[in-house]
Amino acid sequence: MNIHCVSAYAFSIENFKRPPEEVEALMALLEEKLSEICNKGDLLDQYGVRLNIIGRVELFPKNVQRAVRKAEKMTRHNHKAILNLYMPYTSRDEITSSIEDCVRDGLEYHIDPDTFFTKQEVEKHLMSTMRGTPPLDVLVRTSGVKRLSDFMLWQCCENTQIQFSPKYWPDFGLWDFIPIILDYQRKIYSRRISV
């Protein structure tokens, strides 16, 4: 389908507030799945997919941090497509961190605030941009909920089509995705015709 980048919201920073046994189970599952990627990484290599973990990885337990680094390193040479897993992540944290980085750079290099604190500079310092993620075309929100849940708020503010699906994520499949892509293509085609 000529899709070069897919991003999934896998774990919110807010999820650390869940009961400890639930967080521990999720961390164990994450480490297990990352290990599977490392053991069967040939599928990502076959399609040239680079894996990015975007978020505050330093908040994970050390064993999960090692698994993240290993999985990312294994796919670093792939450049045909990108799979972003956002974890632990919130959009508010990403935007706040980007602004802090802009201010830090401005102070460190004695740059005029009008120059270092621009939309372009904030975008340049976003976690997703630093990992080579292209602009967001379509954001799909599953589970019938009509909110963004603190995911990619900056990225979806310009020309992003937001689609809501009643399906829950584990059940969301190709037949749910195709109408979304067709709708996106129709809208892009209509935009080109009207210009």
Side-chain angles (χ1 to χ4, degrees):
M1 297 179 83
N2 206 23
I3 296 171
H4 298 289
C5 182
V6 173
S7 299
Y9 198 4
F11 191 83
S12 170
I13 290 173
E14 300 299 316
N15 287 343
F16 283 115
K17 295 176 182 174
R18 293 181 176 197
E21 60 278 0
E22 189 177 330
V23 173
E24 287 169 19
L26 289 169
M27 293 300 106
L29 180 64
L30 176 57
E31 183 180 17
E32 175 189 324
K33 294 303 176 187
L34 288 170
S35 295
E36 280 181 29
I37 288 173
C38 292
N39 294 333
K40 300 174 185 170
D42 53 339
L43 184 64
L44 293 177
D45 284 341
Q46 178 183 344
Y47 292 100
V49 177
R50 182 176 76 233
L51 174 67
N52 290 327
I53 308 299
I54 297 178
R56 296 279 186 186
V57 174
E58 68 274 10
L59 299 177
F60 281 144
K62 296 291 183 202
N63 57 323
V64 176
Q65 289 181 41
R66 283 190 296 276
V68 165
R69 283 192 295 274
K70 184 176 179 183
E72 283 187 320
K73 185 177 179 184
M74 284 185 62
T75 64
R76 196 53 49 220
H77 61 280
N78 295 336
H79 298 289
K80 288 183 185 171
I82 299 170
L83 172 60
N84 291 324
L85 296 179
Y86 282 74
M87 57 185 185
Y89 171 88
T90 64
S91 190
R92 289 172 297 166
D93 178 68
E94 180 181 32
I95 294 167
T96 302
S97 297
S98 176
I99 292 168
E100 288 171 351
D101 290 345
C102 287
V103 170
R104 193 175 302 111
D105 286 355
L107 293 173
E108 183 176 338
Y109 300 110
H110 307 289
I111 303 170
D112 177 22
D114 293 335
T115 307
F116 77 80
F117 199 66
T118 63
K119 175 186 169 212
Q120 292 77 18
E121 282 300 308
V122 172
E123 283 181 354
K124 188 171 84 175
H125 287 87
L126 291 173
M127 294 173 196
S128 52
T129 307
M130 291 189 295
R131 303 304 290 274
T133 300
L136 184 61
D137 293 319
V138 180
L139 185 134
V140 179
R141 177 57 160 107
T142 58
S143 75
V145 175
K146 297 209 170 151
R147 58 185 165 83
L148 298 180
S149 298
D150 209 359
F151 182 54
M152 297 184 87
L153 299 176
W154 182 282
Q155 293 85 341
C156 71
C157 66
E158 280 187 47
N159 299 322
T160 300
Q161 291 185 25
I162 301 174
Q163 300 277 346
F164 298 96
S165 171
K167 287 276 184 90
Y168 284 93
W169 173 248
D171 298 324
F172 185 86
L174 181 62
W175 295 113
D176 303 298
F177 188 59
I178 288 175
I180 290 171
I181 292 301
L182 291 174
D183 185 54
Y184 170 74
Q185 289 175 337
R186 181 185 56 77
K187 288 175 181 170
I188 291 297
Y189 181 73
S190 296
R191 235 187 275 152
R192 287 183 185 154
I193 295 277
S194 64
V195 173

